[in-house]
Structure formats: C-alpha cells, structure tokens
Amino acid sequence: SPQRNIEQELEAAVYHGTHVAGLMVYDDPRIGFLPFRILPANLRDSGLGDSASRVLNAITLALQSGARVINMSLGVNGRAPFDETFIEFRDKMAELARSHPNVVFVVAAGNDGAWLDGKNKATLPCDVDVDNILCVSTLNLKDQPASFTNISLSRNEVVFALGESVI
C-alpha cells in the first residue's frame, strides 16, 4: 500500500484530517481494515460563504460524489439561547443526515472538556440527534475520557476511541 508523505502533508497544511483519514484506511491484519477510497473535501475549496455554509456545501459535494461514510472533525459550539445561525446549521445538518439514511456521519464531540446536554450547551454536529450520526469522544492512554474531550449527554450512544498521544 502507498506510504504517507508526512513532509508533503505538513507543507500543504493538512494535519488532523489527513491523519484521521490515514488511520481509517490503515491496513493492519490485527485490525482488519482494508484501504478504501478517500474523497477529501477541503472546506476552503467548497465555495464562498460563511463557515456553516462551507461545511454544508462540502457535505453535499461528498454525498453527490457517492460517499457512504463522512468524517467530520469539527465543532460548532453554542449555549442557550442558541442563535439563528446555530439553529439553522443544526436543522440543515439533521435534514442532510435524515435524507441520506445509508450514509454514516462520523463526527467529533469536540475538544472543550465540556459536558454537553444538547439543550443548554451543545456542539454541532455531535448534538444533532439523528440515527446515522455517530458522535466520537476521545480516550487517553489509560482508556479514560481525555481531559479535553467533550462528553455528550444528549446522545444515547457515543463512541470513545483513542485520541490522545496518537502518532
């Protein structure tokens, strides 16, 4: 399988997302993953508009390109009363996920070290309560929630995975 060119990635300012994608396709017989096609969607190249619009445009592009799994390592934080932009992004994200039930959206819980109830304090898209949105929080090397990871209390299911000191 092809080797990653870390120097090239750093020069192109691709860090976390590239690392996550590399982990997703890592071919290790002990893990059992096989390489899959990756469709990178750089938010800077997905069109004009505010951040929420760029995220939604990137998701739409991925869906139109046939994506079956969409990984989003981002967080839009909000506190009640949520502003109009927050509510609009939440509702559009929910609509996209519901209208594509055969696509899994893997989303980060965020890195604010906060407990999120989804009503008074939330992060999007993690707190979008749709069945095909899978929220992921971080474990440290001791298999405990990392001090910086958000914990979503509004979701029935949250996946915890190693995310601290991963190289």
Side-chain angles (χ1 to χ4, degrees):
S1 65
Q3 298 295 314
R4 290 179 56 199
N5 185 333
I6 301 299
E7 290 178 14
Q8 181 183 32
E9 292 172 12
L10 292 175
E11 288 173 11
V14 288
Y15 306 105
H16 180 78
T18 303
H19 186 73
V20 170
L23 289 172
M24 289 186 329
V25 300
Y26 188 71
D27 188 10
D28 183 329
R30 295 171 298 157
I31 299 172
F33 289 133
L34 297 174
F36 290 91
R37 182 175 65 103
I38 300 293
L39 172 68
N42 185 335
L43 296 180
R44 291 175 290 195
D45 297 334
S46 61
L48 299 174
D50 65 322
S51 296
S53 294
R54 288 194 311 269
V55 169
L56 294 168
N57 288 341
I59 294 167
T60 301
L61 173 66
L63 292 168
Q64 290 170 347
S65 299
R68 303 295 285 180
V69 177
I70 297 178
N71 176 66
M72 291 184 287
S73 186
L74 58 94
V76 178
N77 298 321
R79 289 182 178 269
F82 301 119
D83 68 23
E84 185 177 315
T85 302
F86 187 89
I87 293 168
E88 185 177 332
F89 178 73
R90 181 196 64 202
D91 293 349
K92 287 183 178 180
M93 183 67 221
E95 181 183 329
L96 277 171
R98 282 190 190 104
S99 65
H100 294 85
N102 295 323
V103 175
V104 176
F105 297 81
V106 181
V107 302
N111 296 327
D112 302 308
W115 294 83
L116 307 169
D117 65 7
K119 299 202 184 316
N120 297 300
K121 191 174 186 181
T123 188
L124 303 177
C126 182
D127 283 306
V128 176
D129 194 12
V130 176
D131 289 343
N132 56 327
I133 294 178
L134 177 64
C135 184
V136 180
S137 287
T138 301
L139 292 176
N140 62 24
L141 294 173
K142 296 179 181 178
D143 289 333
Q144 299 294 319
S147 62
F148 58 83
T149 197
N150 289 343
I151 310 277
S152 178
L153 303 173
S154 66
R155 302 293 306 250
N156 291 330
E157 299 169 354
V158 176
V159 172
F160 283 83
L162 182 62
E164 187 174 74
S165 302
V166 177
I167 55 171

